[in-house]
């Protein structure tokens, strides 16, 4: 009852912008990978057994499947507290290599669970648990697009307490920025125009999320059909779009690069670096995937439990990319 049905991830139902049909098809496929993971998380008993099923998903889509499974386990933890700890065991064990998407999946669960049940979802990592707010923001922008994107109304979770609301707003906006990659159908002009319509103070976080999604999710064409051979022409077209994305980010390129570096680290840790990942990190970060991932490690805060640890982490990464020259707009 709390999980989205398969039709809910189609552009026709969501009302998302359809640019290139290949991009639409691929972004819808990501939704299906997520729902496959959600189904396994709900129906397969045991965290290791769930992971074994997730490893049968197409290699490039496993991160999304782990995200869906984590949402399922978080929902079960919320609804069945007597046998809780499913998500914690999953992240600490078989999902450790997809730790980033697993925390994001927990945010989807927070968006679906009634508020009194949310505290039952336990996330042990004091730094990465903030990613649940990213997942929450993505969910709200994805499923409540007219309000969160059209009216630019912040999700309600931001109103829970004055002490953490400001910090939460930044993380949630990063998640909204990720969702904008889907809402815009991976159309760079549409994406940039949408972000430009938001208040200037929110744009850096939105660009960070957009850079993260453009790197981690990407769009159809860079790798060919799921599990198929790479398409050199499509890769070149993707590279041109990514260079255009970097140019359109303008003064917010360090923010987009910060998001791309997060995606690079997530892909590297999972051992699923696609040709699109490589192209996106080169375009947005000006370096290779391993170096961008290393930047995120070097920027880790000394005290991950500090109230501003997550924002400190992001700020240090942005500073690293602020030193790089802005890429020139690609020739038409």
């Amino acid at each position: 009852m709390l999980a989205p049905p398969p039709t809910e991830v189609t552009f026709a139902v969501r009302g998302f912008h359809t640019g290139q049909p290949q991009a639409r098809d691929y972004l819808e496929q990501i939704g299906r990978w997520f729902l496959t993971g959600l189904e396994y998380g709900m129906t397969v008993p045991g965290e290791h057994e769930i992971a074994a099923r997730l490893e049968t998903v197409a290699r490039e889509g496993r991160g999304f499947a782990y995200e869906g499974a984590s949402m399922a386990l978080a929902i079960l933890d919320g609804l069945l507290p007597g046998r809780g700890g499913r998500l914690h065991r999953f992240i600490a064990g078989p999902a450790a290599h997809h730790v980033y998407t697993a925390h994001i999946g927990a945010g989807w669960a927070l968006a679906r669970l009634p508020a009194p049940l949310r505290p039952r979802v336990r996330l042990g990592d004091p730094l990465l648990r903030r990613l649940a707010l990213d997942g929450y923001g993505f969910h709200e922008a994805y499923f409540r697009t007219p309000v969160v994107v059209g009216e630019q109304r912040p999700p309600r979770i931001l109103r829970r307490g004055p002490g953490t609301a400001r910090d939460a707003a930044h993380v949630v906006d990063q998640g909204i920025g990720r969702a904008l990659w889907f809402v815009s159908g991976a159309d760079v002009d549409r994406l940039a125009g949408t972000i430009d319509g938001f208040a200037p103070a929110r744009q850096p976080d939105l660009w960070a999320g957009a850079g993260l999604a453009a790197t981690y999710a990407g769009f159809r064409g860079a790798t060919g059909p799921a599990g198929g051979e790479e398409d050199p022409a499509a890769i070149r077209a993707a590279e041109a779009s990514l260079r255009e994305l970097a140019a359109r980010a303008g003064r917010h390129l360090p923010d987009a690069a910060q998001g791309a570096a997060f995606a690079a680290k997530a892909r590297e840790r999972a051992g699923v670096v696609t040709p699109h990942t490589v192209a996106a990190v080169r375009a947005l970060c000006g370096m290779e995937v391993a170096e961008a991932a290393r930047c995120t490690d070097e920027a880790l805060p000394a005290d991950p439990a500090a109230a501003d640890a997550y924002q400190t982490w992001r700020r240090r990464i942005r500073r690293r990319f602020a030193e790089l020259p802005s890429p020139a707009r690609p020739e038409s």
Side-chain angles (χ1 to χ4, degrees):
M1 292 175 62
L2 295 175
T7 55
E8 288 296 305
V9 299
T10 63
F11 273 40
V13 171
R14 298 264 54 83
F16 293 166
H17 171 69
T18 300
Q20 293 293 329
Q22 286 183 317
R24 177 205 61 207
D25 293 346
Y26 185 61
L27 294 175
E28 288 182 341
Q29 176 61 58
I30 287 175
R32 289 191 289 272
W33 281 324
F34 179 94
L35 292 177
T36 296
L38 181 73
E39 179 183 352
Y40 291 160
M42 284 289 185
T43 60
V44 177
E47 292 81 23
H48 287 277
E49 290 76 8
I50 292 170
R53 295 290 292 276
L54 295 172
E55 291 298 314
T56 66
V57 173
R59 184 170 171 270
E60 64 181 298
R62 284 179 199 159
F64 305 106
Y66 272 86
E67 184 179 344
S70 298
M71 175 189 178
L73 294 174
I75 286 176
L76 292 175
D77 280 345
L79 295 178
L80 308 171
R83 298 178 57 199
R86 298 168 185 81
L87 179 62
H88 177 73
R89 291 192 300 271
F90 187 58
I91 292 176
H97 58 311
H98 286 289
V99 64
Y100 302 100
T101 54
H103 280 83
I104 288 171
W108 281 63
L110 294 178
R112 296 273 168 162
L113 284 168
L117 300 183
R118 290 173 186 166
R120 296 176 179 175
V121 178
R122 300 200 304 273
L123 294 168
D125 191 301
L127 181 65
L128 296 184
R129 66 186 179 189
R130 270 83 158 191
L131 287 172
L133 288 169
D134 180 306
Y136 186 96
F138 182 100
H139 177 282
E140 294 298 273
Y142 192 94
F143 290 104
R144 299 179 61 232
T145 309
V147 174
V148 176
V149 178
E151 299 177 15
Q152 302 175 11
R153 196 182 306 170
R156 291 177 185 169
I157 197 170
L158 302 184
R159 307 185 189 122
R160 295 179 70 186
T164 60
R166 215 168 29 248
D167 179 68
H170 290 296
V171 189
V172 170
D173 272 351
Q174 180 176 265
I176 292 172
R178 284 196 306 113
L180 291 180
W181 183 250
F182 290 76
V183 173
S184 67
D187 182 314
V188 171
D189 285 337
R190 183 89 172 199
L191 171 72
T194 301
I195 294 177
D196 286 346
F198 277 78
R202 299 182 67 185
Q203 291 179 20
D205 297 308
L206 296 173
W207 272 111
L212 204 166
T215 304
Y216 191 94
F219 47 83
R220 170 51 62 221
T223 55
E229 296 182 358
E230 299 169 10
D231 182 346
I235 292 174
R236 287 194 295 272
E239 288 172 345
S241 293
L242 288 163
R243 289 193 297 271
E244 177 67 15
L245 179 65
R248 291 298 301 271
R251 68 183 185 281
H252 296 303
L253 180 57
D255 301 291
Q258 174 256 299
F262 271 8
K265 178 62 180 180
R267 284 290 192 183
E268 183 194 58
R269 179 161 178 164
V272 187
V273 175
T274 70
H276 182 88
T277 310
V278 174
V281 172
R282 285 174 179 169
L284 297 175
C285 299
M287 59 184 62
E288 300 302 319
V289 170
E291 187 180 357
R294 190 164 56 250
C295 286
T296 69
D297 293 335
E298 293 170 349
L300 284 167
D303 180 7
D308 63 345
Y310 188 78
Q311 293 311 313
T312 297
W313 190 24
R314 295 180 63 206
R315 199 160 45 245
R316 288 176 176 175
I317 297 170
R318 281 198 302 272
R319 232 182 262 133
R320 169 69 177 83
F321 293 113
E323 302 167 357
L324 300 177
S326 298
R329 182 178 293 274
E331 297 179 4
S332 57

